[in-house]
PDB file of all heavy atoms in Angstrom:
ATOM      1  N   ILE A   1     -29.571 -26.311 -47.159  1.00 87.00           N
ATOM      2  CA  ILE A   1     -29.521 -25.527 -48.370  1.00 87.00           C
ATOM      3  C   ILE A   1     -30.687 -25.980 -49.258  1.00 87.00           C
ATOM      4  O   ILE A   1     -30.726 -27.170 -49.642  1.00 87.00           O
ATOM      5  CB  ILE A   1     -28.169 -25.592 -49.061  1.00 87.00           C
ATOM      6  CG1 ILE A   1     -28.111 -24.651 -50.269  1.00 87.00           C
ATOM      7  CG2 ILE A   1     -27.791 -27.004 -49.453  1.00 87.00           C
ATOM      8  CD1 ILE A   1     -26.707 -24.491 -50.848  1.00 87.00           C
ATOM      9  N   VAL A   2     -31.589 -25.082 -49.581  1.00 87.00           N
ATOM     10  CA  VAL A   2     -32.736 -25.435 -50.404  1.00 87.00           C
ATOM     11  C   VAL A   2     -32.730 -24.497 -51.608  1.00 87.00           C
ATOM     12  O   VAL A   2     -32.996 -23.290 -51.480  1.00 87.00           O
ATOM     13  CB  VAL A   2     -34.052 -25.278 -49.577  1.00 87.00           C
ATOM     14  CG1 VAL A   2     -35.251 -25.621 -50.456  1.00 87.00           C
ATOM     15  CG2 VAL A   2     -34.021 -26.137 -48.340  1.00 87.00           C
ATOM     16  N   LEU A   3     -32.365 -25.041 -52.744  1.00 90.00           N
ATOM     17  CA  LEU A   3     -32.202 -24.246 -53.943  1.00 90.00           C
ATOM     18  C   LEU A   3     -33.471 -23.492 -54.293  1.00 90.00           C
ATOM     19  O   LEU A   3     -33.421 -22.336 -54.699  1.00 90.00           O
ATOM     20  CB  LEU A   3     -31.750 -25.114 -55.122  1.00 90.00           C
ATOM     21  CG  LEU A   3     -31.479 -24.375 -56.441  1.00 90.00           C
ATOM     22  CD1 LEU A   3     -30.390 -23.301 -56.266  1.00 90.00           C
ATOM     23  CD2 LEU A   3     -31.136 -25.326 -57.526  1.00 90.00           C
ATOM     24  N   GLU A   4     -34.628 -24.136 -54.146  1.00 89.00           N
ATOM     25  CA  GLU A   4     -35.888 -23.481 -54.461  1.00 89.00           C
ATOM     26  C   GLU A   4     -36.063 -22.192 -53.658  1.00 89.00           C
ATOM     27  O   GLU A   4     -36.559 -21.199 -54.185  1.00 89.00           O
ATOM     28  CB  GLU A   4     -37.066 -24.437 -54.234  1.00 89.00           C
ATOM     29  CG  GLU A   4     -37.088 -25.618 -55.148  1.00 89.00           C
ATOM     30  CD  GLU A   4     -36.231 -26.802 -54.663  1.00 89.00           C
ATOM     31  OE1 GLU A   4     -35.501 -26.650 -53.647  1.00 89.00           O
ATOM     32  OE2 GLU A   4     -36.255 -27.857 -55.300  1.00 89.00           O
ATOM     33  N   THR A   5     -35.692 -22.208 -52.418  1.00 88.00           N
ATOM     34  CA  THR A   5     -35.795 -21.009 -51.579  1.00 88.00           C
ATOM     35  C   THR A   5     -34.833 -19.940 -52.064  1.00 88.00           C
ATOM     36  O   THR A   5     -35.178 -18.771 -52.212  1.00 88.00           O
ATOM     37  CB  THR A   5     -35.508 -21.363 -50.090  1.00 88.00           C
ATOM     38  OG1 THR A   5     -36.493 -22.292 -49.654  1.00 88.00           O
ATOM     39  CG2 THR A   5     -35.569 -20.115 -49.220  1.00 88.00           C
ATOM     40  N   LEU A   6     -33.593 -20.330 -52.323  1.00 92.00           N
ATOM     41  CA  LEU A   6     -32.603 -19.378 -52.746  1.00 92.00           C
ATOM     42  C   LEU A   6     -32.935 -18.759 -54.100  1.00 92.00           C
ATOM     43  O   LEU A   6     -32.729 -17.558 -54.340  1.00 92.00           O
ATOM     44  CB  LEU A   6     -31.213 -20.024 -52.794  1.00 92.00           C
ATOM     45  CG  LEU A   6     -30.621 -20.373 -51.441  1.00 92.00           C
ATOM     46  CD1 LEU A   6     -29.363 -21.214 -51.585  1.00 92.00           C
ATOM     47  CD2 LEU A   6     -30.343 -19.111 -50.638  1.00 92.00           C
ATOM     48  N   LEU A   7     -33.508 -19.555 -55.008  1.00 92.00           N
ATOM     49  CA  LEU A   7     -33.921 -19.016 -56.290  1.00 92.00           C
ATOM     50  C   LEU A   7     -34.985 -17.930 -56.138  1.00 92.00           C
ATOM     51  O   LEU A   7     -34.991 -16.948 -56.882  1.00 92.00           O
ATOM     52  CB  LEU A   7     -34.409 -20.146 -57.220  1.00 92.00           C
ATOM     53  CG  LEU A   7     -33.333 -21.079 -57.741  1.00 92.00           C
ATOM     54  CD1 LEU A   7     -33.957 -22.215 -58.523  1.00 92.00           C
ATOM     55  CD2 LEU A   7     -32.255 -20.327 -58.542  1.00 92.00           C
ATOM     56  N   GLN A   8     -35.863 -18.094 -55.170  1.00 90.00           N
ATOM     57  CA  GLN A   8     -36.891 -17.086 -54.902  1.00 90.00           C
ATOM     58  C   GLN A   8     -36.278 -15.779 -54.392  1.00 90.00           C
ATOM     59  O   GLN A   8     -36.887 -14.733 -54.490  1.00 90.00           O
ATOM     60  CB  GLN A   8     -37.911 -17.605 -53.885  1.00 90.00           C
ATOM     61  CG  GLN A   8     -38.815 -18.696 -54.382  1.00 90.00           C
ATOM     62  CD  GLN A   8     -39.809 -18.171 -55.406  1.00 90.00           C
ATOM     63  OE1 GLN A   8     -40.352 -17.094 -55.240  1.00 90.00           O
ATOM     64  NE2 GLN A   8     -40.057 -18.932 -56.436  1.00 90.00           N
ATOM     65  N   LEU A   9     -35.068 -15.879 -53.824  1.00 90.00           N
ATOM     66  CA  LEU A   9     -34.432 -14.710 -53.246  1.00 90.00           C
ATOM     67  C   LEU A   9     -33.471 -14.011 -54.245  1.00 90.00           C
ATOM     68  O   LEU A   9     -32.932 -12.961 -53.889  1.00 90.00           O
ATOM     69  CB  LEU A   9     -33.650 -15.113 -51.990  1.00 90.00           C
ATOM     70  CG  LEU A   9     -34.502 -15.636 -50.849  1.00 90.00           C
ATOM     71  CD1 LEU A   9     -33.616 -16.045 -49.668  1.00 90.00           C
ATOM     72  CD2 LEU A   9     -35.546 -14.624 -50.408  1.00 90.00           C
ATOM     73  N   ARG A  10     -33.291 -14.594 -55.422  1.00 91.00           N
ATOM     74  CA  ARG A  10     -32.445 -13.905 -56.418  1.00 91.00           C
ATOM     75  C   ARG A  10     -32.967 -12.508 -56.643  1.00 91.00           C
ATOM     76  O   ARG A  10     -34.155 -12.293 -56.802  1.00 91.00           O
ATOM     77  CB  ARG A  10     -32.433 -14.655 -57.763  1.00 91.00           C
ATOM     78  CG  ARG A  10     -31.404 -15.723 -57.841  1.00 91.00           C
ATOM     79  CD  ARG A  10     -31.328 -16.273 -59.245  1.00 91.00           C
ATOM     80  NE  ARG A  10     -32.636 -16.673 -59.701  1.00 91.00           N
ATOM     81  CZ  ARG A  10     -32.834 -17.545 -60.671  1.00 91.00           C
ATOM     82  NH1 ARG A  10     -31.821 -18.087 -61.290  1.00 91.00           N
ATOM     83  NH2 ARG A  10     -34.061 -17.898 -61.042  1.00 91.00           N
ATOM     84  N   GLY A  11     -32.076 -11.570 -56.644  1.00 91.00           N
ATOM     85  CA  GLY A  11     -32.466 -10.177 -56.829  1.00 91.00           C
ATOM     86  C   GLY A  11     -32.803  -9.456 -55.521  1.00 91.00           C
ATOM     87  O   GLY A  11     -32.946  -8.262 -55.491  1.00 91.00           O
ATOM     88  N   ARG A  12     -32.967 -10.234 -54.444  1.00 94.00           N
ATOM     89  CA  ARG A  12     -33.312  -9.646 -53.143  1.00 94.00           C
ATOM     90  C   ARG A  12     -32.172  -9.795 -52.141  1.00 94.00           C
ATOM     91  O   ARG A  12     -32.255  -9.278 -51.027  1.00 94.00           O
ATOM     92  CB  ARG A  12     -34.543 -10.322 -52.566  1.00 94.00           C
ATOM     93  CG  ARG A  12     -35.822 -10.020 -53.288  1.00 94.00           C
ATOM     94  CD  ARG A  12     -36.998 -10.826 -52.772  1.00 94.00           C
ATOM     95  NE  ARG A  12     -37.394 -10.442 -51.445  1.00 94.00           N
ATOM     96  CZ  ARG A  12     -38.428 -10.970 -50.814  1.00 94.00           C
ATOM     97  NH1 ARG A  12     -39.139 -11.895 -51.381  1.00 94.00           N
ATOM     98  NH2 ARG A  12     -38.736 -10.565 -49.587  1.00 94.00           N
ATOM     99  N   VAL A  13     -31.139 -10.557 -52.501  1.00 96.00           N
ATOM    100  CA  VAL A  13     -30.050 -10.822 -51.556  1.00 96.00           C
ATOM    101  C   VAL A  13     -28.750 -10.245 -52.122  1.00 96.00           C
ATOM    102  O   VAL A  13     -28.430 -10.380 -53.299  1.00 96.00           O
ATOM    103  CB  VAL A  13     -29.934 -12.352 -51.318  1.00 96.00           C
ATOM    104  CG1 VAL A  13     -29.545 -13.130 -52.534  1.00 96.00           C
ATOM    105  CG2 VAL A  13     -29.000 -12.642 -50.156  1.00 96.00           C
ATOM    106  N   GLY A  14     -27.989  -9.595 -51.222  1.00 97.00           N
ATOM    107  CA  GLY A  14     -26.730  -9.008 -51.618  1.00 97.00           C
ATOM    108  C   GLY A  14     -25.691 -10.073 -51.960  1.00 97.00           C
ATOM    109  O   GLY A  14     -24.974  -9.965 -52.936  1.00 97.00           O
ATOM    110  N   ALA A  15     -25.616 -11.131 -51.118  1.00 97.00           N
ATOM    111  CA  ALA A  15     -24.689 -12.229 -51.360  1.00 97.00           C
ATOM    112  C   ALA A  15     -25.105 -13.430 -50.555  1.00 97.00           C
ATOM    113  O   ALA A  15     -25.672 -13.282 -49.452  1.00 97.00           O
ATOM    114  CB  ALA A  15     -23.252 -11.843 -51.016  1.00 97.00           C
ATOM    115  N   VAL A  16     -24.848 -14.595 -51.095  1.00 97.00           N
ATOM    116  CA  VAL A  16     -25.007 -15.840 -50.378  1.00 97.00           C
ATOM    117  C   VAL A  16     -23.616 -16.241 -49.911  1.00 97.00           C
ATOM    118  O   VAL A  16     -22.711 -16.399 -50.749  1.00 97.00           O
ATOM    119  CB  VAL A  16     -25.629 -16.942 -51.250  1.00 97.00           C
ATOM    120  CG1 VAL A  16     -25.755 -18.251 -50.488  1.00 97.00           C
ATOM    121  CG2 VAL A  16     -26.978 -16.482 -51.800  1.00 97.00           C
ATOM    122  N   VAL A  17     -23.392 -16.357 -48.605  1.00 98.00           N
ATOM    123  CA  VAL A  17     -22.079 -16.666 -48.057  1.00 98.00           C
ATOM    124  C   VAL A  17     -22.016 -18.177 -47.863  1.00 98.00           C
ATOM    125  O   VAL A  17     -22.875 -18.780 -47.200  1.00 98.00           O
ATOM    126  CB  VAL A  17     -21.854 -15.940 -46.724  1.00 98.00           C
ATOM    127  CG1 VAL A  17     -20.469 -16.242 -46.132  1.00 98.00           C
ATOM    128  CG2 VAL A  17     -22.013 -14.423 -46.934  1.00 98.00           C
ATOM    129  N   VAL A  18     -20.985 -18.795 -48.450  1.00 97.00           N
ATOM    130  CA  VAL A  18     -20.818 -20.240 -48.378  1.00 97.00           C
ATOM    131  C   VAL A  18     -19.379 -20.601 -47.993  1.00 97.00           C
ATOM    132  O   VAL A  18     -18.451 -19.872 -48.273  1.00 97.00           O
ATOM    133  CB  VAL A  18     -21.152 -20.942 -49.725  1.00 97.00           C
ATOM    134  CG1 VAL A  18     -22.603 -20.711 -50.115  1.00 97.00           C
ATOM    135  CG2 VAL A  18     -20.215 -20.480 -50.816  1.00 97.00           C
ATOM    136  N   PRO A  19     -19.171 -21.757 -47.323  1.00 96.00           N
ATOM    137  CA  PRO A  19     -17.820 -22.192 -47.005  1.00 96.00           C
ATOM    138  C   PRO A  19     -17.101 -22.710 -48.250  1.00 96.00           C
ATOM    139  O   PRO A  19     -17.710 -23.314 -49.128  1.00 96.00           O
ATOM    140  CB  PRO A  19     -18.056 -23.307 -45.987  1.00 96.00           C
ATOM    141  CG  PRO A  19     -19.450 -23.823 -46.263  1.00 96.00           C
ATOM    142  CD  PRO A  19     -20.214 -22.632 -46.803  1.00 96.00           C
ATOM    143  N   ARG A  20     -15.802 -22.497 -48.293  1.00 95.00           N
ATOM    144  CA  ARG A  20     -14.972 -22.957 -49.414  1.00 95.00           C
ATOM    145  C   ARG A  20     -14.817 -24.484 -49.315  1.00 95.00           C
ATOM    146  O   ARG A  20     -14.532 -25.012 -48.263  1.00 95.00           O
ATOM    147  CB  ARG A  20     -13.601 -22.276 -49.341  1.00 95.00           C
ATOM    148  CG  ARG A  20     -12.728 -22.580 -50.570  1.00 95.00           C
ATOM    149  CD  ARG A  20     -11.383 -21.823 -50.498  1.00 95.00           C
ATOM    150  NE  ARG A  20     -11.524 -20.413 -50.180  1.00 95.00           N
ATOM    151  CZ  ARG A  20     -11.859 -19.446 -51.037  1.00 95.00           C
ATOM    152  NH1 ARG A  20     -12.120 -19.743 -52.281  1.00 95.00           N
ATOM    153  NH2 ARG A  20     -11.942 -18.199 -50.623  1.00 95.00           N
ATOM    154  N   SER A  21     -14.904 -25.145 -50.463  1.00 92.00           N
ATOM    155  CA  SER A  21     -14.707 -26.598 -50.483  1.00 92.00           C
ATOM    156  C   SER A  21     -13.229 -26.904 -50.635  1.00 92.00           C
ATOM    157  O   SER A  21     -12.392 -26.026 -50.812  1.00 92.00           O
ATOM    158  CB  SER A  21     -15.485 -27.210 -51.672  1.00 92.00           C
ATOM    159  OG  SER A  21     -14.881 -26.854 -52.897  1.00 92.00           O
ATOM    160  N   SER A  22     -12.904 -28.216 -50.565  1.00 86.00           N
ATOM    161  CA  SER A  22     -11.517 -28.627 -50.675  1.00 86.00           C
ATOM    162  C   SER A  22     -11.067 -28.732 -52.125  1.00 86.00           C
ATOM    163  O   SER A  22      -9.925 -29.095 -52.396  1.00 86.00           O
ATOM    164  CB  SER A  22     -11.279 -29.962 -49.951  1.00 86.00           C
ATOM    165  OG  SER A  22     -12.124 -30.951 -50.494  1.00 86.00           O
ATOM    166  N   LYS A  23     -11.938 -28.472 -53.080  1.00 79.00           N
ATOM    167  CA  LYS A  23     -11.655 -28.443 -54.506  1.00 79.00           C
ATOM    168  C   LYS A  23     -11.282 -29.819 -55.028  1.00 79.00           C
ATOM    169  O   LYS A  23     -10.327 -30.452 -54.609  1.00 79.00           O
ATOM    170  CB  LYS A  23     -10.510 -27.481 -54.833  1.00 79.00           C
ATOM    171  CG  LYS A  23     -10.722 -26.070 -54.356  1.00 79.00           C
ATOM    172  CD  LYS A  23     -11.679 -25.337 -55.225  1.00 79.00           C
ATOM    173  CE  LYS A  23     -11.724 -23.891 -54.772  1.00 79.00           C
ATOM    174  NZ  LYS A  23     -12.972 -23.283 -54.935  1.00 79.00           N
ATOM    175  N   GLY A  24     -12.091 -30.303 -55.911  1.00 70.00           N
ATOM    176  CA  GLY A  24     -11.755 -31.561 -56.621  1.00 70.00           C
ATOM    177  C   GLY A  24     -12.190 -32.818 -55.894  1.00 70.00           C
ATOM    178  O   GLY A  24     -11.848 -33.910 -56.346  1.00 70.00           O
ATOM    179  N   SER A  25     -12.883 -32.715 -54.809  1.00 76.00           N
ATOM    180  CA  SER A  25     -13.325 -33.913 -54.088  1.00 76.00           C
ATOM    181  C   SER A  25     -14.795 -34.192 -54.396  1.00 76.00           C
ATOM    182  O   SER A  25     -15.630 -33.290 -54.225  1.00 76.00           O
ATOM    183  CB  SER A  25     -13.128 -33.715 -52.574  1.00 76.00           C
ATOM    184  OG  SER A  25     -13.715 -34.762 -51.867  1.00 76.00           O
ATOM    185  N   LEU A  26     -15.066 -35.412 -54.786  1.00 77.00           N
ATOM    186  CA  LEU A  26     -16.450 -35.771 -55.129  1.00 77.00           C
ATOM    187  C   LEU A  26     -17.410 -35.582 -53.960  1.00 77.00           C
ATOM    188  O   LEU A  26     -18.551 -35.158 -54.121  1.00 77.00           O
ATOM    189  CB  LEU A  26     -16.476 -37.222 -55.607  1.00 77.00           C
ATOM    190  CG  LEU A  26     -17.828 -37.735 -56.141  1.00 77.00           C
ATOM    191  CD1 LEU A  26     -18.279 -36.884 -57.322  1.00 77.00           C
ATOM    192  CD2 LEU A  26     -17.695 -39.174 -56.546  1.00 77.00           C
ATOM    193  N   CYS A  27     -16.945 -35.856 -52.735  1.00 79.00           N
ATOM    194  CA  CYS A  27     -17.830 -35.739 -51.583  1.00 79.00           C
ATOM    195  C   CYS A  27     -17.863 -34.299 -51.031  1.00 79.00           C
ATOM    196  O   CYS A  27     -18.592 -34.017 -50.092  1.00 79.00           O
ATOM    197  CB  CYS A  27     -17.418 -36.729 -50.488  1.00 79.00           C
ATOM    198  SG  CYS A  27     -15.795 -36.461 -49.790  1.00 79.00           S
ATOM    199  N   ASP A  28     -17.097 -33.376 -51.604  1.00 84.00           N
ATOM    200  CA  ASP A  28     -17.038 -32.001 -51.134  1.00 84.00           C
ATOM    201  C   ASP A  28     -17.180 -31.023 -52.304  1.00 84.00           C
ATOM    202  O   ASP A  28     -16.273 -30.317 -52.623  1.00 84.00           O
ATOM    203  CB  ASP A  28     -15.688 -31.786 -50.411  1.00 84.00           C
ATOM    204  CG  ASP A  28     -15.656 -30.479 -49.612  1.00 84.00           C
ATOM    205  OD1 ASP A  28     -16.707 -29.939 -49.312  1.00 84.00           O
ATOM    206  OD2 ASP A  28     -14.529 -30.059 -49.313  1.00 84.00           O
ATOM    207  N   PRO A  29     -18.365 -31.053 -52.922  1.00 86.00           N
ATOM    208  CA  PRO A  29     -18.560 -30.165 -54.088  1.00 86.00           C
ATOM    209  C   PRO A  29     -18.543 -28.686 -53.700  1.00 86.00           C
ATOM    210  O   PRO A  29     -18.816 -28.344 -52.567  1.00 86.00           O
ATOM    211  CB  PRO A  29     -19.915 -30.593 -54.629  1.00 86.00           C
ATOM    212  CG  PRO A  29     -20.631 -31.135 -53.448  1.00 86.00           C
ATOM    213  CD  PRO A  29     -19.574 -31.763 -52.591  1.00 86.00           C
ATOM    214  N   SER A  30     -18.229 -27.858 -54.655  1.00 92.00           N
ATOM    215  CA  SER A  30     -18.184 -26.394 -54.424  1.00 92.00           C
ATOM    216  C   SER A  30     -19.593 -25.821 -54.375  1.00 92.00           C
ATOM    217  O   SER A  30     -20.283 -25.783 -55.420  1.00 92.00           O
ATOM    218  CB  SER A  30     -17.355 -25.744 -55.531  1.00 92.00           C
ATOM    219  OG  SER A  30     -17.497 -24.318 -55.442  1.00 92.00           O
ATOM    220  N   LEU A  31     -19.988 -25.354 -53.220  1.00 94.00           N
ATOM    221  CA  LEU A  31     -21.292 -24.691 -53.099  1.00 94.00           C
ATOM    222  C   LEU A  31     -21.290 -23.386 -53.875  1.00 94.00           C
ATOM    223  O   LEU A  31     -22.305 -22.991 -54.459  1.00 94.00           O
ATOM    224  CB  LEU A  31     -21.635 -24.429 -51.628  1.00 94.00           C
ATOM    225  CG  LEU A  31     -21.765 -25.670 -50.744  1.00 94.00           C
ATOM    226  CD1 LEU A  31     -21.959 -25.292 -49.294  1.00 94.00           C
ATOM    227  CD2 LEU A  31     -22.909 -26.560 -51.245  1.00 94.00           C
ATOM    228  N   ALA A  32     -20.136 -22.693 -53.911  1.00 95.00           N
ATOM    229  CA  ALA A  32     -20.027 -21.431 -54.637  1.00 95.00           C
ATOM    230  C   ALA A  32     -20.258 -21.654 -56.148  1.00 95.00           C
ATOM    231  O   ALA A  32     -20.991 -20.880 -56.767  1.00 95.00           O
ATOM    232  CB  ALA A  32     -18.645 -20.820 -54.386  1.00 95.00           C
ATOM    233  N   LEU A  33     -19.666 -22.672 -56.697  1.00 94.00           N
ATOM    234  CA  LEU A  33     -19.842 -22.963 -58.119  1.00 94.00           C
ATOM    235  C   LEU A  33     -21.301 -23.282 -58.426  1.00 94.00           C
ATOM    236  O   LEU A  33     -21.894 -22.770 -59.360  1.00 94.00           O
ATOM    237  CB  LEU A  33     -18.920 -24.089 -58.514  1.00 94.00           C
ATOM    238  CG  LEU A  33     -18.845 -24.444 -59.997  1.00 94.00           C
ATOM    239  CD1 LEU A  33     -18.324 -23.281 -60.811  1.00 94.00           C
ATOM    240  CD2 LEU A  33     -17.954 -25.670 -60.190  1.00 94.00           C
ATOM    241  N   TYR A  34     -21.884 -24.133 -57.590  1.00 91.00           N
ATOM    242  CA  TYR A  34     -23.270 -24.562 -57.743  1.00 91.00           C
ATOM    243  C   TYR A  34     -24.216 -23.372 -57.723  1.00 91.00           C
ATOM    244  O   TYR A  34     -25.054 -23.185 -58.623  1.00 91.00           O
ATOM    245  CB  TYR A  34     -23.556 -25.562 -56.619  1.00 91.00           C
ATOM    246  CG  TYR A  34     -24.979 -25.863 -56.238  1.00 91.00           C
ATOM    247  CD1 TYR A  34     -25.881 -26.383 -57.191  1.00 91.00           C
ATOM    248  CD2 TYR A  34     -25.421 -25.723 -54.940  1.00 91.00           C
ATOM    249  CE1 TYR A  34     -27.172 -26.690 -56.829  1.00 91.00           C
ATOM    250  CE2 TYR A  34     -26.703 -26.050 -54.541  1.00 91.00           C
ATOM    251  CZ  TYR A  34     -27.575 -26.522 -55.520  1.00 91.00           C
ATOM    252  OH  TYR A  34     -28.860 -26.852 -55.139  1.00 91.00           O
ATOM    253  N   LEU A  35     -24.076 -22.498 -56.724  1.00 96.00           N
ATOM    254  CA  LEU A  35     -25.017 -21.398 -56.563  1.00 96.00           C
ATOM    255  C   LEU A  35     -24.745 -20.276 -57.577  1.00 96.00           C
ATOM    256  O   LEU A  35     -25.708 -19.623 -58.037  1.00 96.00           O
ATOM    257  CB  LEU A  35     -24.962 -20.858 -55.137  1.00 96.00           C
ATOM    258  CG  LEU A  35     -25.452 -21.846 -54.080  1.00 96.00           C
ATOM    259  CD1 LEU A  35     -25.270 -21.287 -52.678  1.00 96.00           C
ATOM    260  CD2 LEU A  35     -26.925 -22.228 -54.320  1.00 96.00           C
ATOM    261  N   SER A  36     -23.496 -20.037 -57.942  1.00 96.00           N
ATOM    262  CA  SER A  36     -23.229 -18.987 -58.935  1.00 96.00           C
ATOM    263  C   SER A  36     -23.791 -19.406 -60.307  1.00 96.00           C
ATOM    264  O   SER A  36     -24.268 -18.537 -61.012  1.00 96.00           O
ATOM    265  CB  SER A  36     -21.745 -18.682 -58.998  1.00 96.00           C
ATOM    266  OG  SER A  36     -21.013 -19.779 -59.460  1.00 96.00           O
ATOM    267  N   HIS A  37     -23.764 -20.689 -60.613  1.00 95.00           N
ATOM    268  CA  HIS A  37     -24.359 -21.141 -61.879  1.00 95.00           C
ATOM    269  C   HIS A  37     -25.890 -21.037 -61.847  1.00 95.00           C
ATOM    270  O   HIS A  37     -26.512 -20.992 -62.906  1.00 95.00           O
ATOM    271  CB  HIS A  37     -23.919 -22.588 -62.213  1.00 95.00           C
ATOM    272  CG  HIS A  37     -22.592 -22.634 -62.860  1.00 95.00           C
ATOM    273  ND1 HIS A  37     -22.390 -22.366 -64.206  1.00 95.00           N
ATOM    274  CD2 HIS A  37     -21.358 -22.902 -62.342  1.00 95.00           C
ATOM    275  CE1 HIS A  37     -21.100 -22.467 -64.485  1.00 95.00           C
ATOM    276  NE2 HIS A  37     -20.465 -22.811 -63.363  1.00 95.00           N
ATOM    277  N   ALA A  38     -26.444 -20.956 -60.654  1.00 95.00           N
ATOM    278  CA  ALA A  38     -27.898 -20.760 -60.532  1.00 95.00           C
ATOM    279  C   ALA A  38     -28.245 -19.267 -60.558  1.00 95.00           C
ATOM    280  O   ALA A  38     -29.395 -18.895 -60.360  1.00 95.00           O
ATOM    281  CB  ALA A  38     -28.395 -21.407 -59.258  1.00 95.00           C
ATOM    282  N   GLY A  39     -27.219 -18.409 -60.739  1.00 95.00           N
ATOM    283  CA  GLY A  39     -27.494 -16.990 -60.855  1.00 95.00           C
ATOM    284  C   GLY A  39     -27.482 -16.204 -59.562  1.00 95.00           C
ATOM    285  O   GLY A  39     -27.997 -15.072 -59.516  1.00 95.00           O
ATOM    286  N   LEU A  40     -26.933 -16.798 -58.522  1.00 97.00           N
ATOM    287  CA  LEU A  40     -26.909 -16.111 -57.221  1.00 97.00           C
ATOM    288  C   LEU A  40     -25.549 -15.467 -56.980  1.00 97.00           C
ATOM    289  O   LEU A  40     -24.516 -16.007 -57.365  1.00 97.00           O
ATOM    290  CB  LEU A  40     -27.207 -17.121 -56.101  1.00 97.00           C
ATOM    291  CG  LEU A  40     -28.634 -17.624 -56.090  1.00 97.00           C
ATOM    292  CD1 LEU A  40     -28.718 -19.027 -55.477  1.00 97.00           C
ATOM    293  CD2 LEU A  40     -29.514 -16.644 -55.312  1.00 97.00           C
ATOM    294  N   PRO A  41     -25.547 -14.308 -56.340  1.00 97.00           N
ATOM    295  CA  PRO A  41     -24.288 -13.684 -55.997  1.00 97.00           C
ATOM    296  C   PRO A  41     -23.677 -14.407 -54.798  1.00 97.00           C
ATOM    297  O   PRO A  41     -24.349 -14.583 -53.773  1.00 97.00           O
ATOM    298  CB  PRO A  41     -24.658 -12.250 -55.617  1.00 97.00           C
ATOM    299  CG  PRO A  41     -26.064 -12.350 -55.152  1.00 97.00           C
ATOM    300  CD  PRO A  41     -26.695 -13.507 -55.938  1.00 97.00           C
ATOM    301  N   VAL A  42     -22.432 -14.893 -54.912  1.00 97.00           N
ATOM    302  CA  VAL A  42     -21.859 -15.770 -53.909  1.00 97.00           C
ATOM    303  C   VAL A  42     -20.554 -15.194 -53.362  1.00 97.00           C
ATOM    304  O   VAL A  42     -19.735 -14.642 -54.122  1.00 97.00           O
ATOM    305  CB  VAL A  42     -21.589 -17.173 -54.512  1.00 97.00           C
ATOM    306  CG1 VAL A  42     -20.916 -18.076 -53.511  1.00 97.00           C
ATOM    307  CG2 VAL A  42     -22.873 -17.797 -55.005  1.00 97.00           C
ATOM    308  N   LEU A  43     -20.341 -15.317 -52.060  1.00 98.00           N
ATOM    309  CA  LEU A  43     -19.088 -15.034 -51.406  1.00 98.00           C
ATOM    310  C   LEU A  43     -18.616 -16.328 -50.733  1.00 98.00           C
ATOM    311  O   LEU A  43     -19.351 -16.906 -49.956  1.00 98.00           O
ATOM    312  CB  LEU A  43     -19.237 -13.955 -50.318  1.00 98.00           C
ATOM    313  CG  LEU A  43     -19.433 -12.534 -50.798  1.00 98.00           C
ATOM    314  CD1 LEU A  43     -19.695 -11.617 -49.598  1.00 98.00           C
ATOM    315  CD2 LEU A  43     -18.193 -12.032 -51.549  1.00 98.00           C
ATOM    316  N   GLU A  44     -17.420 -16.766 -51.075  1.00 97.00           N
ATOM    317  CA  GLU A  44     -16.894 -17.991 -50.504  1.00 97.00           C
ATOM    318  C   GLU A  44     -15.913 -17.610 -49.352  1.00 97.00           C
ATOM    319  O   GLU A  44     -15.067 -16.744 -49.501  1.00 97.00           O
ATOM    320  CB  GLU A  44     -16.143 -18.734 -51.592  1.00 97.00           C
ATOM    321  CG  GLU A  44     -15.927 -20.201 -51.342  1.00 97.00           C
ATOM    322  CD  GLU A  44     -15.383 -20.892 -52.586  1.00 97.00           C
ATOM    323  OE1 GLU A  44     -14.568 -20.316 -53.319  1.00 97.00           O
ATOM    324  OE2 GLU A  44     -15.750 -22.067 -52.797  1.00 97.00           O
TER     325      GLU A  44
END
């Protein structure tokens, strides 16, 4: 996962599909939360 690449695709991608995290685990952060805050459309 390379944020710089995904940011270049904002507006060109229908959705970024990511696996659901276990919620609340420091070693398993939410990819959906991270990418949605970067302005990307996300499906978990």
Side-chain angles (χ1 to χ4, degrees):
I1 185 169
V2 180
L3 183 60
E4 294 85 354
T5 298
L6 290 171
L7 289 175
Q8 290 289 321
L9 297 178
R10 271 189 307 203
R12 291 175 68 177
V13 65
V16 179
V17 181
V18 299
R20 187 178 313 279
S21 70
S22 59
K23 306 283 186 212
S25 171
L26 186 59
C27 64
D28 193 19
S30 170
L31 298 174
L33 186 62
Y34 162 58
L35 294 176
S36 65
H37 278 281
L40 291 152
V42 177
L43 287 175
E44 200 172 36

